[in-house]
């Protein structure tokens, strides 16, 4: 007998964003695995939903131990609903271990989609949304944070981070040190709540603004590294490699110059000079 295992997105601030499917799940589940059962009860009260399910606390510190039991309950015929404090379970919140255990046991997982702080902040940022990555919380220690930011220095996609309000200024300053103070960024706080705010600017400007203190739940969105325009010097090695594979130098230069928008004669002379140096 197989029950149901459901991941349900919860509002990130405004209870009015709760879906009809979330209400149905909370009122009809046999088991609700919540990151914080007190917050779950408060959400149910605000939604005017009666939760008769068994409530189980599932958080970062115990999810690994409880995942198999939740899956076993679904296998036995119970409807198990997994929720986080806000947004989609598994996205910087508990839920991943449960899905992992369900996959091992070949138990189907359904998702009730809904609010997402990551996507909401990305949409508000004014930064490119065609390609992005979610980096969660950066390390708290200065050295580890600096190393993490250095590793992301050449990331071309828009990056989304969560951060605690008391660390926002230091994090933005560290981003300015690692990537340059002129990198475009946005800071969103209290998304969907009464005092929602999004500030846009460079990481340097936002770091100065944050020095006065920032309150609320924070999402930082930062532009990826801008593509570097090709130069004659950067194309020489590619040209020589193609020539070594049998292509004519003039044909290679014509192709690369047209594609990259660099002067053909200048590139041809640079290739000839490099060939002479390497012979």
């Amino acid at each position: 007998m197989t029950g149901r295992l459901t991941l349900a997105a919860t509002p990130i601030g405004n209870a009015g964003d709760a879906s009809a499917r979330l209400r149905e799940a909370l009122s009809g589940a046999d088991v609700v695995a919540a990151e914080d059962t007190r917050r779950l009860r408060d959400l149910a009260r605000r939604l005017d939903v009666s939760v008769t399910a068994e409530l189980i606390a599932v958080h970062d510190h115990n999810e690994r131990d409880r995942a198999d039991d939740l899956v076993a309950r679904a296998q036995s015929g119970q409807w198990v609903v997994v929720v986080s404090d806000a947004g989609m379970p598994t996205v910087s919140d508990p839920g991943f271990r449960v899905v992992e255990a369900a996959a091992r046991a070949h138990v189907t997982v359904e998702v009730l989609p809904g609010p997402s702080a990551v996507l909401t902040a990305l949409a508000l940022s004014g930064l490119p949304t065609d390609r992005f990555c979610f980096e969660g919380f950066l390390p708290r220690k200065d050295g580890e944070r600096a190393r993490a930011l250095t590793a992301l220095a050449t990331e071309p996609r828009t990056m989304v981070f969560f951060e605690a309000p008391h660390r926002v200024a230091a994090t933005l300053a560290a981003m300015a040190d690692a990537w340059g103070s002129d990198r475009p960024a946005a800071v969103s706080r209290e998304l969907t709540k009464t005092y929602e705010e999004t500030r846009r600017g460079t990481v340097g400007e936002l770091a100065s603004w944050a020095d006065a203190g920032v309150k609320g739940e924070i999402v930082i969105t930062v532009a990826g590294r801008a593509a570097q325009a090709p130069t004659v010097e950067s194309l020489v090695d590619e040209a020589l490699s193609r020539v070594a594979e049998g292509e004519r130098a003039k044909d290679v230069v014509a192709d690369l110059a047209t594609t990259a928008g660099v002067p053909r004669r200048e590139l041809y002379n640079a290739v000839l000079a490099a060939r002479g140096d390497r012979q």
Side-chain angles (χ1 to χ4, degrees):
M1 183 176 181
T2 301
R4 301 166 68 182
L5 182 58
T6 302
L7 301 181
T10 54
I12 58 176
N14 191 325
D17 294 332
S19 70
R21 296 179 71 193
L22 172 64
R23 296 171 184 269
E24 177 189 1
L26 292 179
S27 63
D30 297 300
V31 178
V32 175
E35 185 176 5
D36 186 323
T37 56
R38 292 170 299 179
R39 291 196 180 189
L40 186 278
R41 290 190 182 95
D42 179 64
L43 175 63
R45 178 187 58 77
R46 288 185 287 138
L47 297 179
D48 195 24
V49 170
S50 176
V51 179
T52 60
E54 178 184 355
L55 299 184
I56 299 176
V58 177
H59 44 71
D60 289 339
H61 302 296
N62 69 5
E63 184 184 3
R64 186 184 296 274
D65 295 331
R66 294 194 170 175
D68 288 334
D69 176 62
L70 293 174
V71 172
R73 287 170 180 258
Q75 288 176 310
S76 71
Q78 293 183 304
W79 185 5
V80 178
V81 175
V82 179
V83 297
S84 64
D85 288 344
M88 176 60 66
T90 75
V91 181
S92 197
D93 279 323
F96 164 70
R97 299 296 180 189
V98 178
V99 176
E100 185 180 45
R104 287 197 305 267
H106 304 290
V107 171
T108 299
V109 179
E110 66 175 352
V111 172
L112 308 187
S116 165
V118 175
L119 296 181
T120 302
L122 179 67
L124 287 169
S125 70
L127 299 173
T129 60
D130 54 338
R131 298 181 67 218
F132 68 93
C133 59
F134 174 57
E135 293 294 329
F137 287 91
L138 288 165
R140 296 182 181 183
K141 294 182 179 179
D142 292 348
E144 294 177 2
R145 180 179 57 201
R147 286 190 289 274
L149 292 174
T150 298
L152 292 170
T154 59
E155 171 58 61
R157 297 170 294 181
T158 299
M159 297 170 282
V160 184
F161 302 85
F162 286 166
E163 191 52 280
H166 63 280
R167 291 197 296 268
V168 171
T171 293
L172 288 167
M175 289 176 173
D177 288 340
W179 304 333
S181 61
D182 59 347
R183 183 77 70 95
V187 176
S188 296
R189 68 180 193 89
E190 295 294 89
L191 290 171
T192 77
K193 299 179 184 178
T194 301
Y195 298 105
E196 175 181 318
E197 179 184 20
T198 294
R199 290 266 182 162
R200 304 175 185 87
T202 65
V203 289
E205 292 168 344
L206 292 171
S208 297
W209 162 75
D211 271 339
V214 183
K215 296 181 179 180
E217 296 184 338
I218 307 296
V219 185
I220 300 174
T221 310
V222 186
R225 181 182 180 184
Q228 302 296 309
T231 63
V232 167
E233 292 75 16
S234 69
L235 296 171
V236 169
D237 283 342
E238 181 180 352
L240 292 177
S241 177
R242 289 174 57 175
V243 170
E245 291 175 358
E247 295 186 64
R248 294 178 65 237
K250 288 186 177 181
D251 294 338
V252 171
V253 167
D255 179 40
L256 291 177
T258 300
T259 302
V262 299
R264 183 181 302 187
R265 181 179 295 278
E266 187 175 339
L267 177 57
Y268 185 69
N269 290 336
V271 169
L272 292 180
R275 287 179 71 184
D277 290 341
R278 298 182 189 184
Q279 288 177 352

